[in-house]
Amino acid sequence: MSKISACLKDIHTRSLFNHLQLNIHKTELIPTSRFRKSLPLQPSSVLDLKPSSEVRSLGVYMDSHLRMDANINAICRSAMVGIRKIGLIRRFLDRETTTRLLHAFISSRLDYCNSFHVALPKTLLRKLQMLQNSAARLVCQTKRRDHITPILHELHWLPVKERVNFKILLLTYKSLHGLAPRYIDNVLTPQSSCRNLRSKSQNRLVSAKVKTISYGHRALSYAAPMLWNSLPNYIKDAQSVTVFKRLLKTYLFLKAF
């Protein structure tokens, strides 16, 4: 707790030095380890903060165990409101206009910060997939008992899991080509060897070691190398972001269907 108090004090001092006001009422403290139940955090003596079990940052809900169920439930609530409203006026819209509305109000919510959803349990991703299925049926005006795979294939929509992997791989490509923030570059390490191995020409990344079974494999330092190393070389060697996105979407689409 003393380290956290010192960190908060530094932030407060830096804010005052740069003539910035630190809003105490919007400052939250959340413990993110489930293994120290015997050492509960006490209110900070610097800014009088009380630890919370759930916080919201830039529209993303995060809980102390990083399960992301609160964030997914919030997405489902807001997206279902949009689906119902668009459904009320669907008979007055053509297919192209309906698709644009659903991309603006539904797909944008599914894609916003979806890199947090990498390697989540299937039960949580299924909630988001059901949202996408409802949006697809609304576009094609099909019934709930109709199989969803041909509908998604016809619309050429990537399923939710593949959309998450697409975001992770796109961040990885940008990082390797100097187009990503430095904090992403710091967690991705290209594989190197003093010997002339076959994998040296495959542009592989080193996967970080994880210590926690529950959410360690969801870290970018582990998930990104695992997804990147499984890509074919012709995709990893794309000459531009536009070409990479096109090849990657086609690859994930064929893999999903």
Side-chain angles (χ1 to χ4, degrees):
M1 196 61 210
S2 60
K3 294 182 179 180
I4 296 178
S5 298
C7 180
L8 294 174
K9 185 177 181 180
D10 290 340
I11 295 174
H12 185 58
T13 303
R14 185 176 179 86
S15 299
L16 293 177
F17 180 79
N18 291 278
H19 307 287
L20 299 175
Q21 175 103 22
L22 183 62
N23 195 333
I24 306 302
H25 301 289
K26 292 185 178 180
T27 304
E28 297 176 296
L29 175 65
I30 178 173
T32 58
S33 176
R34 66 175 68 180
F35 303 106
R36 294 191 176 184
K37 296 180 180 179
S38 59
L39 299 174
L41 292 177
Q42 301 297 325
S44 172
S45 59
V46 178
L47 299 177
D48 193 23
L49 291 178
K50 295 181 180 179
S52 303
S53 60
E54 181 181 306
V55 297
R56 182 184 181 187
S57 178
L58 298 177
V60 178
Y61 292 87
M62 302 187 69
D63 57 274
S64 57
H65 298 314
L66 300 178
R67 289 190 295 258
M68 302 306 296
D69 50 350
N71 187 58
I72 289 180
N73 291 335
I75 294 174
C76 293
R77 287 194 300 267
S78 60
M80 281 306 301
V81 173
I83 290 178
R84 291 192 187 98
K85 290 183 178 180
I86 297 174
L88 293 175
I89 61 173
R90 175 64 181 92
R91 63 182 183 274
F92 304 110
L93 305 173
D94 57 16
R95 180 166 175 169
E96 181 180 358
T97 305
T98 306
T99 303
R100 290 184 178 182
L101 286 174
L102 288 171
H103 281 323
F105 295 99
I106 309 303
S107 299
S108 61
R109 288 183 168 87
L110 292 177
D111 293 338
Y112 179 69
C113 293
N114 62 343
S115 56
F116 286 105
H117 302 155
V118 63
L120 280 180
K122 294 181 179 180
T123 53
L124 291 178
L125 290 180
R126 186 173 180 270
K127 295 181 179 181
L128 300 180
Q129 188 59 56
M130 291 177 65
L131 276 178
Q132 190 188 48
N133 295 348
S134 299
R137 289 191 173 96
L138 190 58
V139 172
C140 298
Q141 292 183 302
T142 57
K143 298 179 181 179
R144 292 187 61 182
R145 63 174 177 268
D146 294 337
H147 195 48
I148 192 61
T149 301
I151 301 175
L152 295 176
H153 187 276
E154 178 186 352
L155 295 174
H156 210 266
W157 287 5
L158 286 176
V160 170
K161 182 180 178 180
E162 280 67 31
R163 297 173 85 95
V164 174
N165 294 340
F166 182 91
K167 178 67 70 65
I168 296 293
L169 290 169
L170 181 58
L171 286 174
T172 306
Y173 178 86
K174 290 182 176 180
S175 175
L176 295 177
H177 290 78
L179 302 175
R182 185 175 299 177
Y183 62 85
I184 294 181
D185 300 341
N186 293 337
V187 299
L188 300 178
T189 306
Q191 190 177 71
S192 60
S193 176
C194 57
R195 294 183 297 170
N196 190 16
L197 300 177
R198 183 184 304 174
S199 60
K200 189 175 181 180
S201 62
Q202 295 180 355
N203 196 11
R204 298 174 62 86
L205 296 175
V206 178
S207 181
K209 296 181 180 180
V210 296
K211 298 180 180 179
T212 56
I213 300 177
S214 55
Y215 55 81
H217 61 286
R218 290 169 46 206
L220 185 66
S221 58
Y222 179 86
M226 293 295 292
L227 293 173
W228 179 261
N229 294 340
S230 64
L231 283 181
N233 289 333
Y234 75 91
I235 300 179
K236 293 189 286 187
D237 296 336
Q239 298 301 315
S240 65
V241 176
T242 303
V243 176
F244 177 79
K245 290 168 67 175
R246 175 172 55 82
L247 294 176
L248 180 60
K249 182 178 179 181
T250 303
Y251 172 77
L252 293 177
F253 184 82
L254 295 177
K255 188 177 180 181
F257 298 103

